[in-house]
Amino acid sequence: MELRQLGYFVAVAEERHFTRAAERVQVAQPAISQQIRRLEAEVGEPLFRRDRRSVALTAAGEALLPHARAMLAEAANAKESIAALSGLLTGSLAVGLVQPLPDQRVLALLGAFHRRHPRIRLTLREDETDALIAALATGELDAAIVGQGPADPPLAAETTPHVIAREDVVVALHPDHPLAARDSLTLRDLREEPLVTAPRTSKLRTNIEAACSRFGFVPNVVAETRDLTLVRQLVLQRIGVAVLPESALQGPPALARVPLARPSLERRIVLAARPHHASPAGRAFLAMAHRRLLPDQPGAMNDTGDVTKR
């Protein structure tokens, strides 16, 4: 099983198309098809279901994909470790970002890292927390900035999560809404209100539904979207109210915001990583992140990426 074959396999799995995969890895399409057939012969199972319009992974392909990604990541880490001996880091860094991102220090961190290591190629991925944590576990990401609610289970210990920021979750309403003049609201106050919110894949949505369940009702969701700008626009159009992190209400349109008193749905912004699996670029990024985002916390990293004892 060659790394080249695994690279082709991952490209086809992600593109779901042989021609697009060939363009991505910059080889001729017949060559990539031939290598996939050789890989299938070696594992003894077809890895893809093919028809004229689409390509889909078989059960064997689904089983192989995380291992292939991990093997490619380890090979890349080995190359970068050797390159790091020259004293100038090269390679790539993949960082996941949950939205909205209230801590602007993260953007400053990315800028500082690029200036310090200009030869490292930076890839950013915006997604929901669960998807980012899964990508971190498979080695697709070197680090992730994710959101956690008070009722969320703790992240796995090997991700070494660190809280870098906290923000309140508030109720966003049209300025003329009868509840907009209140000093605070509870979820029970929103029982009969139409709700505009994120899809079920969102941590915010699951936390809202769990909190409403504890109050004995199911929220009346009338619209859902991942686009927070669209959520604000729908509230402005009186389609419903929204329960959002404060950072999601930055910028127009101007909506009324009322604190959510019961329950408190404080949102924690967490830096998550797997330092024992990190590439040289990943270790350098985590070292800088700890210095800039967590300077006073025990377990902060020094310039070499080693954990300090305090």
Side-chain angles (χ1 to χ4, degrees), residues 34-46:
Q34 182 185 51
Q35 291 299 324
I36 293 297
R37 285 195 296 270
R38 289 181 178 177
L39 182 59
E40 289 176 323
E42 183 172 348
V43 300
E45 294 284 347

Side-chain angles (χ1 to χ4, degrees), residues 25 28 30 39 46 53-55 95 143 166 170 202 204 229 233 240 245 249 263 273 288 290 301:
V25 297
L39 182 59
R53 294 186 177 181
S54 65
V55 175
V95 179
R166 301 173 187 271
V170 300
S202 164
L204 177 64
T229 300
Q233 292 290 346
L249 293 174
M288 183 176 286
H290 279 70
M301 293 183 180

Side-chain angles (χ1 to χ4, degrees), residues 166-185:
R166 301 173 187 271
E167 66 172 331
D168 292 329
V169 173
V170 300
V171 183
L173 312 101
H174 188 282
D176 295 333
H177 193 287
L179 296 177
R182 296 276 292 272
D183 292 330
S184 65
L185 292 167

Side-chain angles (χ1 to χ4, degrees), residues 1-186:
M1 192 177 296
E2 300 176 4
L3 289 174
R4 178 181 58 174
Q5 292 174 333
L6 294 177
Y8 294 168
F9 164 71
V10 170
V12 175
E14 292 177 349
E15 297 293 340
R16 305 283 173 162
H17 196 278
F18 275 83
T19 300
R20 288 197 298 269
E23 292 172 351
R24 170 171 153 180
V25 297
Q26 298 182 333
V27 299
Q29 192 271 331
I32 202 171
S33 298
Q34 182 185 51
Q35 291 299 324
I36 293 297
R37 285 195 296 270
R38 289 181 178 177
L39 182 59
E40 289 176 323
E42 183 172 348
V43 300
E45 294 284 347
L47 300 173
F48 295 102
R49 292 189 298 273
R50 305 164 174 85
D51 59 36
R52 292 182 179 180
R53 294 186 177 181
S54 65
V55 175
L57 286 167
T58 63
E62 293 281 4
L64 177 60
L65 184 57
H67 298 287
R69 284 172 170 157
M71 292 170 69
L72 290 170
E74 287 298 323
N77 288 349
K79 290 180 180 178
E80 291 174 16
S81 295
I82 294 171
L85 295 176
S86 66
L88 182 62
L89 281 179
T90 60
S92 60
L93 176 75
V95 179
L97 300 175
V98 72
Q99 297 297 316
L101 189 63
D103 194 338
Q104 297 304 304
R105 294 178 303 160
V106 174
L107 300 180
L109 166 65
L110 293 171
F113 184 81
H114 173 71
R115 291 188 292 274
R116 179 78 175 271
H117 304 291
R119 294 182 62 183
I120 292 178
R121 184 177 67 257
L122 179 63
T123 300
L124 300 179
R125 172 175 170 180
E126 297 178 356
D127 212 328
E128 304 287 356
T129 287
D130 287 344
L132 295 177
I133 294 300
L136 190 64
T138 59
E140 297 172 67
L141 294 176
D142 296 287
I145 309 295
V146 300
Q148 287 278 285
D152 289 334
L155 299 180
E158 72 164 354
T159 63
T160 60
H162 294 280
V163 176
I164 62 173
R166 301 173 187 271
E167 66 172 331
D168 292 329
V169 173
V170 300
V171 183
L173 312 101
H174 188 282
D176 295 333
H177 193 287
L179 296 177
R182 296 276 292 272
D183 292 330
S184 65
L185 292 167
T186 71

